[in-house]
Amino acid sequence: MWSHNNNDKNSPARGFWTPPASWRSQHSPAVAKMPMSERKERVSSPSCKRDIFHVIHKVPSGDSPYVRAKHVQLIDKDPSKAVSLFWAAINAGDRVDSALKDMAVVMKQLDRADEAIEAIKSFRHLCPYDSQESIDNVLVELYKRSGRIEEEIEMLQRKLKNIEEGIAFSGKKKKTARSQGRKIQITVEQERSRILGNLAWAYLQHCDYGLAEHYYRKGLSLEPDQNKQCNLAICLMHMNRIPEAKSLLQNVKASSGSKPMDDSYAKSFERACQILTELESHLIVKQTKQDEKVHQRSAGSPTTGNLKEFASSPNGDVSGFVDSRRKCTGVFNDNRVLPDEHDRRSYWQNQSENEKKLLCIQ
């Protein structure tokens, strides 16, 4: 505090005024001598600290069986022990719906998807009605992981029917969902598009390419989705519609422009391009071999059996190759252009006619 007394000539013109001894007695000596860090710790209560801990680690507060299971799952990171504690929470009736779903997710991580499916089927009747839809979503992922495609398709068809009949979302147009740990609002149309994409992927895994294409195109009619476009391209490759597939992938690449592709569809694009590159290489190699066979047979005297075998060989058919594919390698090349399908067929028809003429001459 500044002090300046005009009446007192002996006092300095300006300076700091020392507070009286009574001033210190009005404040706690312990607080005055305490370091600032310790003062903050005293101000913040233990309950406040616990709240911050739960927010950071996304662990519910309390000491119930379900809370202990979540702590072991997220903090201790012991999935096997967490499964046992989630079972204890279910048996104790403590937040059964959350315990059942979380336990199924942990079992999926432990490659125990089939066990998780049976657990959900056995205990979902204990869960409230408004949690059944989210339980169905967990079941779909479990069916996908365990390779139970028919059951996955049946579940997805049921969910799609609920949307069309207005049963989903409890009749509302929006609902709150979680995506990568964040709460988001999704509309009925977005959910419909998502289910159509999952249904198309299930039919693709089931080798029902016609239905897969139908549901992919239906989903794309609701909203643009590069991931669906990439998977549709793979579907078209399985049906030997290579030019259409290549055009789709070129559109996906053009949509990103000079920017890096979004992670949501970058892997799908890479996988589709690898398959396309391998198919192109296979067609070129196969065509070259067949050209060599034609040249050798034209130069010699081919037998009728060999000619019939050549004439009946599939031209440009790569469906068997696609189905037997196990691992894809390669890079997508915009400059590589597949030969026209019509020209290919005309070429092989002319070759077959020339072979028949050689037989007639001999």
Side-chain angles (χ1 to χ4, degrees):
M1 181 182 295
W2 289 102
S3 174
H4 179 63
N5 190 352
N6 294 327
N7 298 327
D8 188 0
K9 296 181 180 180
N10 295 327
S11 63
R14 289 195 178 274
F16 286 102
W17 174 72
T18 304
S22 60
W23 182 85
R24 288 190 179 182
S25 63
Q26 296 174 1
H27 298 79
S28 172
V31 173
K33 295 179 182 179
M34 190 183 300
M36 186 61 66
S37 59
E38 293 184 16
R39 292 187 200 178
K40 289 181 180 179
E41 288 181 3
R42 282 201 173 189
V43 171
S44 58
S45 62
S47 61
C48 182
K49 285 185 180 180
R50 285 196 298 268
D51 292 341
I52 295 174
F53 176 83
H54 295 313
V55 170
I56 293 174
H57 297 282
K58 299 179 181 178
V59 179
S61 58
D63 191 31
S64 66
Y66 174 74
V67 172
R68 288 195 291 271
K70 289 296 291 183
H71 191 282
V72 171
Q73 177 198 3
L74 300 176
I75 307 302
D76 298 344
K77 298 188 183 302
D78 188 343
S80 298
K81 185 178 178 181
V83 169
S84 300
L85 292 176
F86 280 128
W87 272 124
I90 293 170
N91 292 329
D94 181 23
R95 299 177 65 172
V96 177
D97 56 332
S98 298
L100 188 59
K101 289 184 288 186
D102 290 339
M103 183 182 71
V105 171
V106 176
M107 284 182 170
K108 178 185 170 185
Q109 296 170 353
L110 296 172
D111 291 329
R112 295 163 59 182
D114 289 322
E115 186 180 345
I117 291 170
E118 297 308 315
I120 288 179
K121 288 183 176 181
S122 299
F123 290 92
R124 69 179 302 169
H125 68 278
L126 300 176
C127 304
Y129 175 78
D130 57 2
S131 67
Q132 296 299 322
E133 190 173 341
S134 59
I135 291 175
D136 285 342
N137 292 334
V138 175
L139 264 180
V140 168
E141 294 302 317
L142 292 171
Y143 286 142
K144 187 184 297 184
R145 170 60 68 88
S146 61
R148 295 161 68 165
I149 301 175
E150 291 83 1
E151 291 170 277
E152 178 189 357
I153 290 173
E154 182 182 353
M155 177 65 69
L156 289 168
Q157 290 283 15
R158 189 187 312 158
K159 289 176 69 65
L160 187 62
K161 184 179 179 182
N162 289 342
I163 289 179
E164 292 172 351
E165 294 178 353
I167 300 175
F169 289 24
S170 300
K172 299 177 181 178
K173 293 184 178 180
K174 292 183 180 181
K175 77 169 183 178
T176 303
R178 285 192 173 273
S179 176
Q180 299 178 350
R182 295 184 297 106
K183 288 185 177 181
I184 58 172
Q185 291 286 328
I186 60 173
T187 64
V188 174
E189 289 304 308
Q190 288 174 328
E191 179 70 1
R192 188 200 302 267
S193 178
R194 186 187 71 83
I195 293 174
L196 286 169
N198 289 340
L199 195 54
W201 176 255
Y203 277 117
L204 182 59
Q205 302 305 304
H206 203 248
C207 301
D208 197 336
Y209 307 125
L211 279 174
E213 180 189 5
H214 168 74
Y215 284 111
Y216 273 131
R217 294 195 184 280
K218 195 172 181 180
L220 287 168
S221 68
L222 297 176
E223 61 176 0
D225 188 322
Q226 287 88 349
N227 188 57
K228 289 187 181 70
Q229 285 181 298
C230 294
N231 291 331
L232 175 58
I234 295 175
C235 180
L236 294 173
M237 292 178 207
H238 281 282
M239 295 189 289
N240 301 327
R241 292 156 63 180
I242 309 298
E244 293 179 64
K246 188 170 185 178
S247 177
L248 265 176
L249 293 177
Q250 288 172 341
N251 291 337
V252 171
K253 185 176 182 181
S255 66
S256 63
S258 59
K259 298 179 181 179
M261 287 190 179
D262 192 83
D263 293 338
S264 62
Y265 65 92
K267 289 183 179 179
S268 298
F269 179 81
E270 182 181 357
R271 181 175 62 250
C273 291
Q274 287 174 345
I275 297 173
L276 176 62
T277 302
E278 189 168 299
L279 287 177
E280 289 180 332
S281 301
H282 176 76
L283 283 174
I284 293 171
V285 170
K286 188 174 182 180
Q287 206 167 2
T288 303
K289 289 182 178 179
Q290 288 180 340
D291 286 342
E292 291 175 356
K293 289 181 181 179
V294 171
H295 179 71
Q296 292 173 359
R297 289 168 181 170
S298 299
S301 300
T303 61
T304 306
N306 289 336
L307 287 174
K308 287 182 178 179
E309 179 183 353
F310 169 74
S312 61
S313 63
N315 300 322
D317 184 8
V318 296
S319 58
F321 172 76
V322 177
D323 292 336
S324 62
R325 181 183 59 83
R326 291 294 178 267
K327 186 176 180 182
C328 305
T329 55
V331 182
F332 180 58
N333 186 355
D334 284 326
N335 297 324
R336 185 180 299 165
V337 180
L338 286 172
D340 185 75
E341 183 70 21
H342 176 71
D343 293 341
R344 244 192 349 257
R345 290 178 179 173
S346 300
Y347 171 78
W348 291 117
Q349 288 174 359
N350 292 334
Q351 293 295 333
S352 299
E353 291 176 0
N354 291 337
E355 296 293 344
K356 292 178 181 178
K357 288 178 181 177
L358 285 173
L359 284 175
C360 293
I361 293 173
Q362 293 177 356

